[in-house]
């Protein structure tokens, strides 16, 4: 179990090209447990989206359908959301951070699920630490995940069958001096631990030293559920592009030019906010 500050606000577990079927199809025994879980938790759920099957089933799956454990996990998440005022998070002014720390929505995978790209390799973590903005940086990471969760929920409300979101963590521009300083490592620990609770993820186009950084410093302290979700690839494009398609169902040719594809330009955080977090997959338009 993560410390409360790291608990999930929207649980997204490991995804494969068949992720939708895995989420939408459950056994009769699992359905009975879902109904019991709903009866226990529904009085405590402040939002309608939290009462849907697709939201509740993830907590059960995360705890192998053990209802007491899933109830504790979800309740602690509700406490975390309240303590950190997560419902007001997207109303805060993030313009400066959005411009300095890029986070884009770059199309959809083959199942119609959104694909987000977090350019952590460009993020000047050292600058944030020296400026006394460590707490705001952690909150900004939460903000990025909350945006992704909101986009997904809005897609579902408009008829999409997407059950999960995808995240590509791009470390291609990582500088050891700028992003891997001693005061910067806690940001990555926070980010990766949060990713394990929120997103399936690929660390994409990483410089060679990022692999031992993950293997030797971050992976050993990451929870098991985090370690099994993270795949680390080097700069060889053919390798991570093949993984995107075969493991995650993401065709890079349909992504933006920046990601090596021929798709339309990505949507950044500022534009997502202007659109009220409404998005439609390009191929569905």
């Amino acid at each position: 179990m993560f410390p409360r500050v790291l608990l999930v606000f929207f649980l997204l577990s490991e995804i494969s090209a068949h992720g939708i079927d895995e989420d939408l199809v459950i056994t009769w025994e699992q359905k009975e447990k879902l109904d019991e879980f709903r009866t226990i938790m529904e009085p405590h759920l402040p939002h309608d989206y939290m009462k849907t099957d697709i939201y509740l089933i993830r907590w059960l799956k995360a705890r192998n359908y053990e209802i007491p454990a899933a109830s504790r996990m979800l309740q602690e998440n509700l406490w975390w959301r309240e303590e950190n005022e997560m419902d007001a998070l997207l109303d805060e002014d993030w313009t400066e951070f959005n411009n300095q720390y890029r986070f884009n929505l770059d199309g959809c995978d083959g199942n119609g699920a959104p694909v987000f790209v977090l350019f952590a390799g460009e993020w000047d973590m050292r600058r944030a630490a020296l400026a006394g903005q460590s707490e705001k940086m952690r909150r900004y990471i939460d903000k990025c995940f909350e945006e992704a969760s909101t986009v997904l929920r809005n897609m579902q409300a408009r008829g999409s069958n997407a059950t999960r979101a995808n995240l590509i963590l791009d470390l291609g521009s990582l500088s050891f001096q700028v992003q891997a300083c001693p005061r910067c490592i806690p940001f990555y620990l926070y980010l990766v631990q949060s990713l394990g609770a929120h997103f399936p993820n690929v660390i994409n186009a990483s410089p060679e030293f990022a692999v031992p950084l993950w293997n030797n410093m971050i992976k050993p302290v990451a929870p098991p559920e985090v370690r099994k979700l993270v795949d680390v690839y080097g700069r060889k494009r053919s390798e991570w592009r093949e993984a995107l398609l075969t493991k995650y169902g993401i065709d890079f040719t349909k992504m933006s030019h920046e990601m090596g594809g021929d798709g339309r330009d990505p949507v950044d955080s500022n534009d997502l906010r202007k659109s009220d977090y409404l998005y439609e997959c390009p191929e569905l338009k």
Side-chain angles (χ1 to χ4, degrees), residues 12 52 71 82 101 118 125 155 161 164 167 208 215 269-271:
L12 293 167
T52 61
S71 299
E82 183 177 1
Y101 307 104
L118 193 154
M125 301 293 196
M155 292 175 69
N161 287 326
R164 313 181 190 185
L167 179 68
E208 294 308 314
N215 289 333
S269 288
N270 288 324
D271 286 336

Side-chain angles (χ1 to χ4, degrees), residues 1-2 7-8 10-14 23 30 37 54-74 77 164 196-198 224-226 228-229:
M1 178 67 65
F2 299 149
L7 287 176
V8 304
F10 194 82
L11 187 63
L12 293 167
S13 57
E14 187 173 12
D23 283 337
Q30 291 169 344
F37 184 53
I54 198 61
Y55 181 83
L56 292 171
I57 198 69
R58 295 192 178 101
W59 303 94
L60 285 171
K61 286 188 174 183
R63 290 297 177 260
N64 296 316
Y65 287 90
E66 296 181 5
I67 293 176
S71 299
R72 287 193 300 271
M73 186 180 185
L74 178 50
N77 180 75
R164 313 181 190 185
H198 300 287
E225 55 265 44
V226 174
K228 73 179 182 179
L229 293 178

Side-chain angles (χ1 to χ4, degrees), residues 72-245:
R72 287 193 300 271
M73 186 180 185
L74 178 50
Q75 185 60 66
E76 289 179 351
N77 180 75
L78 296 173
W79 290 334
W80 175 82
R81 287 191 64 88
E82 183 177 1
E83 290 174 2
N84 290 278
E85 300 181 335
M86 292 299 296
D87 289 341
L89 184 60
L90 300 187
D91 296 328
E92 299 174 18
D93 185 2
W94 292 103
T95 306
E96 179 183 357
F97 264 59
N98 286 341
N99 293 334
Q100 292 180 6
Y101 307 104
R102 286 201 300 155
F103 178 64
N104 291 344
L105 172 51
D106 201 322
C108 298
D109 67 13
N111 288 322
V115 178
F116 294 89
V117 184
L118 193 154
F119 295 92
E122 299 176 0
W123 288 15
D124 194 338
M125 301 293 196
R126 183 172 180 272
R127 175 181 178 179
L130 293 177
Q133 295 180 317
S134 296
E135 200 56 45
K136 186 166 185 178
M137 172 58 74
R138 284 189 285 270
R139 189 158 176 80
Y140 179 72
I141 292 171
D142 290 335
K143 189 273 301 184
C144 292
F145 297 156
E146 183 77 350
E147 285 180 327
S149 302
T150 302
V151 168
L152 181 61
R153 287 199 302 272
N154 287 340
M155 292 175 69
Q156 292 168 343
R158 300 172 77 186
S160 171
N161 287 326
T163 58
R164 313 181 190 185
N166 303 280
L167 179 68
I168 297 175
L169 178 58
D170 192 330
L171 298 177
S173 302
L174 192 69
S175 164
F176 192 85
Q177 291 81 7
V178 175
Q179 284 98 351
C181 65
R183 296 178 64 180
C184 304
I185 298 301
F187 293 136
Y188 289 103
L189 292 174
Y190 184 89
L191 189 153
V192 173
Q193 287 175 325
S194 296
L195 284 179
H198 300 287
F199 289 94
N201 54 85
V202 180
I203 298 183
N204 165 37
S206 307
E208 294 308 314
F209 72 80
V211 177
L213 181 67
W214 161 253
N215 289 333
N216 299 323
M217 298 186 67
I218 300 177
K219 185 176 181 179
V221 299
E225 55 265 44
V226 174
R227 295 196 295 268
K228 73 179 182 179
L229 293 178
V230 177
D231 293 323
V232 182
Y233 299 94
R235 292 183 181 274
K236 192 174 181 180
R237 291 189 173 186
S238 60
E239 184 177 337
W240 60 259
R241 284 177 175 176
E242 181 181 359
L244 284 180
L245 182 60

Side-chain angles (χ1 to χ4, degrees), residues 106 252 254-266:
D106 201 322
F252 81 90
K254 296 181 180 179
M255 299 182 73
S256 66
H257 290 285
E258 183 171 17
M259 297 301 293
D262 298 317
R264 69 182 185 183
D265 291 339

Side-chain angles (χ1 to χ4, degrees), residues 20-58:
I20 287 181
D21 290 338
E22 294 171 4
D23 283 337
L24 297 181
V25 179
I26 59 176
T27 67
W28 180 256
E29 181 181 0
Q30 291 169 344
K31 175 63 166 60
E32 290 181 326
K33 290 189 175 182
L34 174 60
D35 291 341
E36 182 180 349
F37 184 53
R38 186 198 314 281
T39 300
I40 294 171
M41 295 305 305
E42 194 167 49
H44 307 286
L45 302 176
H47 301 293
D48 287 342
Y49 76 81
M50 294 180 175
K51 302 173 184 178
T52 61
D53 289 352
I54 198 61
Y55 181 83
L56 292 171
I57 198 69
R58 295 192 178 101

